[in-house]
């Protein structure tokens, strides 16, 4: 059984949708951010503050490489994970990648609604949050666009399952 990697911007629904898809397929669910927090024994903002983004990106790479072809896992990746250390190539070589392409306006609304989340690169009270996310989206799009499946707009479980089913 192929692994399924959900990629996309923060607040695109990777974790929420990933849990539902994993349940529906009877797959194991892996949230790479939660795995990093567990392995490091500190929050993502603490990792960024103490060690910097480069250290965090290396931790993402290490976690990703523990996922092997045939693990039957639905993996919620961090928003930047596909963009570093040839991770998108590894993701595509070990499973099906699904880019949840959610409009920036919706991302802003979700980030502001979940202001307590540990998102060191997205400050919900930033008056320029839309432009910050828009710029990050444009920078990451060449990586996200390499996904096996692209689901645009506000995503739902049925649509993602239907699209994944066509690839399995």
């Amino acid at each position: 059984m192929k692994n399924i990697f959900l990629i996309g911007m923060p607040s695109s629904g990777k974790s929420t949708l990933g849990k539902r898809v994993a349940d529906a397929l009877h797959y194991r669910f892996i949230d790479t951010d939660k795995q990093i927090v567990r392995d490091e024994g500190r929050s993502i903002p603490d990792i960024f503050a103490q060690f910097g983004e480069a250290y965090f990106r290396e931790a993402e790479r290490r976690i990703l490489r523990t996922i092997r072809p045939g693990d039957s896992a639905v993996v919620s990746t961090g928003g930047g994970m596909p963009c570093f250390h040839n991770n998108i190539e590894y993701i595509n070589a070990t499973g099906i990648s699904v880019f949840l392409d959610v409009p920036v306006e919706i991302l802003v609304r979700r980030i502001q609604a979940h202001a307590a989340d540990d998102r060191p690169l997205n400050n919900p009270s930033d008056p320029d949050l839309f432009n910050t996310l828009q710029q990050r989206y444009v920078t990451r799009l060449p990586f996200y666009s390499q996904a096996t499946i692209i689901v645009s707009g506000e995503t739902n479980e049925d649509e993602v399952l239907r699209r994944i089913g066509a690839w399995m």
Side-chain angles (χ1 to χ4, degrees):
M1 301 294 269
K2 295 181 179 181
N3 296 317
I4 299 162
F5 295 88
L6 301 179
I7 66 173
M9 292 289 288
S11 291
S12 60
K14 299 179 302 283
S15 294
T16 302
L17 203 55
K19 291 174 192 169
R20 293 181 189 150
V21 170
D23 285 345
L25 297 175
H26 305 290
Y27 272 33
R28 181 169 60 113
F29 176 70
I30 301 169
D31 183 315
T32 60
D33 283 347
K34 286 188 176 20
Q35 188 65 45
I36 290 169
V37 167
R38 232 181 341 268
D39 289 0
E40 294 288 327
R42 58 182 51 94
S43 71
I44 292 173
D46 286 347
I47 294 169
F48 268 73
Q50 293 176 6
F51 304 107
E53 184 176 1
Y55 179 92
F56 177 76
R57 298 303 177 193
E58 180 59 30
E60 284 183 319
R61 186 197 67 75
R62 282 192 313 269
I63 292 295
L64 180 62
R65 298 310 189 273
T66 67
I67 301 164
R68 302 286 181 219
D71 277 355
S72 299
V74 174
V75 182
S76 169
T77 67
M81 180 184 274
C83 310
F84 297 89
H85 301 293
N86 297 316
N87 288 341
I88 190 64
E89 288 87 358
Y90 186 84
I91 287 168
N92 284 332
T94 57
I96 298 168
S97 54
V98 181
F99 170 30
L100 303 179
D101 189 9
V102 176
V104 173
E105 298 83 13
I106 294 171
L107 299 175
V108 168
R109 195 168 59 238
R110 290 177 181 176
I111 288 169
Q112 290 173 336
H114 299 98
D117 287 356
D118 289 341
R119 301 183 191 274
L121 297 179
N122 301 308
N123 180 350
S125 60
D126 177 1
D128 204 30
L129 182 59
F130 177 87
N131 291 328
T132 300
L133 287 174
Q134 182 66 34
Q135 182 178 1
R136 191 167 299 126
Y137 174 85
V138 169
T139 302
R140 293 177 176 181
L141 190 57
F143 299 96
Y144 294 158
S145 296
Q146 295 176 50
T148 311
I149 300 168
I150 298 174
V151 181
S152 297
E154 287 200 71
T155 53
N156 66 61
E157 176 185 347
D158 293 335
E159 173 65 10
V160 172
L161 285 169
R162 184 185 69 72
R163 302 280 301 274
I164 290 169
W167 282 93
M168 297 188 75

